Every structure is written in C-alpha cells, then in structure tokens.
Amino acid sequence: MRTPPRPTRAYLPAACAAAGMVCVVVGSFLPWFGSGSVSRNSYQAAALVAGLDLVDNALVEIALRSWVAVPVLCAGCVALYALGLFRTAASCTVVLGTVVGTIGMVCAVQGGEGGSAAGGVAILIAGPGTSAAGAAAAVLGVLGMLGTLWCATHVHRRQLREQGKQHSTTGRTGVQP
C-alpha cells in the first residue's frame, strides 16, 4: 500500500517540537543553581555533583555524567525533523523531553519563586523553568504532529478502500462512468 502524502499542516507542530528542543538547550545553559554571587548552569552543577561523589545510586550517577549529551541529542531531534523523519524524531523527542522536562520541573518546583536556599545553595528558576517549558512545548508539538499524521493516514486508507469498491453499473473496480 502506498504511503499517504504528508499533509502540510503537520509541519507547524513539527516546528513547534523542534523549537521546544531548542528551548531545552537554551534553558540548560541558563543558571540552575546559585551560591553567593556564583551561579551554575546545569552542566556545571551535574559535573560538581558527580565529581564530589554525593550520590550513591548508580543510575543517578550515569544520568549526571550523561547530562552533557543533552545538546547533541536535542540537535539530533531537530535534524531528524529537518530531514522529514517525523515519526523517528517524535519518538526521540518524547523520550528526551520527558526526561529533561521532569528534571527541570522538579528543580523549578523545589526552587519556588525566589529560589530556595538550602545549605547556602539556591535553586534558580530561569534554567529549569525554560528547559521544562521547552520540553512541554516539544511534547505537545509531537502530539499535534502525530495526530495530524494519523488523521492523514486514516483518510488515505478510507480513500483507497472507496477506490477499490466495484461500481454498481459497470461492475469494474475503481472506474467511474
């Protein structure tokens, strides 16, 4: 069976998902933690926590050490959208957006409005909030794009079924008098 043509209205949610991935990267470079006059972005904070061996969980340690891959993975998602591989890009975006968005939201909620100071370290809102909002926009864009593609496939299949029916007067398949 032929694949349906990609509807042009699928490009807008795909662009929204790609823009969300860009916001995730921008937010990861904004300040996440502050102490005194020093503010640290997510990469500096992850390296500091991983380097000081403050975590005993092996999975959390792997996540901290692999946090530096976030910009590359986001760029890969955007490249997949640009290449037109929407479904592959969507699956990568949902996984990455869920992980980064959850981490950003947890930090933003813990930070509160002015940043919480626990042990002299304040959680700032700018970085985690931007990353969480970008991840949410990316996942919502993916849902819109997949819904549009699903509708286009559904309509295409229905059209193929209707073309395959026999005409009542000619008895021939797909021929209109």
Side-chain angles (χ1 to χ4, degrees):
M1 178 170 69
R2 258 185 40 232
T3 59
R6 182 173 295 131
T8 55
R9 63 183 178 271
Y11 288 97
L12 181 62
C16 178
M21 287 285 100
V22 171
C23 285
V24 166
V25 173
V26 169
S28 69
F29 285 104
L30 290 175
W32 281 51
F33 299 99
S35 175
S37 63
V38 177
S39 62
R40 300 190 187 281
N41 63 27
S42 64
Y43 306 105
Q44 294 167 333
L48 184 65
V49 171
L52 293 176
D53 290 331
L54 298 175
V55 179
D56 290 335
N57 190 338
L59 291 175
V60 174
E61 187 172 331
I62 290 170
L64 287 171
R65 294 194 186 275
S66 62
W67 186 256
V68 296
V70 168
V72 175
L73 295 173
C74 288
C77 290
V78 172
L80 287 171
Y81 284 117
L83 291 173
L85 302 171
F86 284 2
R87 289 179 176 91
T88 305
S91 60
C92 296
T93 299
V94 166
V95 171
L96 185 61
T98 302
V99 170
V100 174
T102 301
I103 293 169
M105 187 55 70
V106 167
C107 289
V109 167
Q110 292 297 319
E113 288 191 14
S116 66
V121 177
I123 301 174
L124 306 175
I125 299 297
T130 304
S131 289
V139 170
L140 288 174
V142 164
L143 292 177
M145 180 194 62
L146 290 178
T148 302
L149 293 176
W150 182 84
C151 287
T153 303
H154 183 69
V155 167
H156 181 70
R157 286 182 182 161
R158 187 175 62 224
Q159 289 173 348
L160 288 178
R161 277 194 307 267
E162 289 173 1
Q163 286 177 355
K165 292 182 181 177
Q166 290 184 350
H167 193 268
S168 61
T169 59
T170 63
R172 298 175 65 187
T173 304
V175 176
Q176 300 295 327

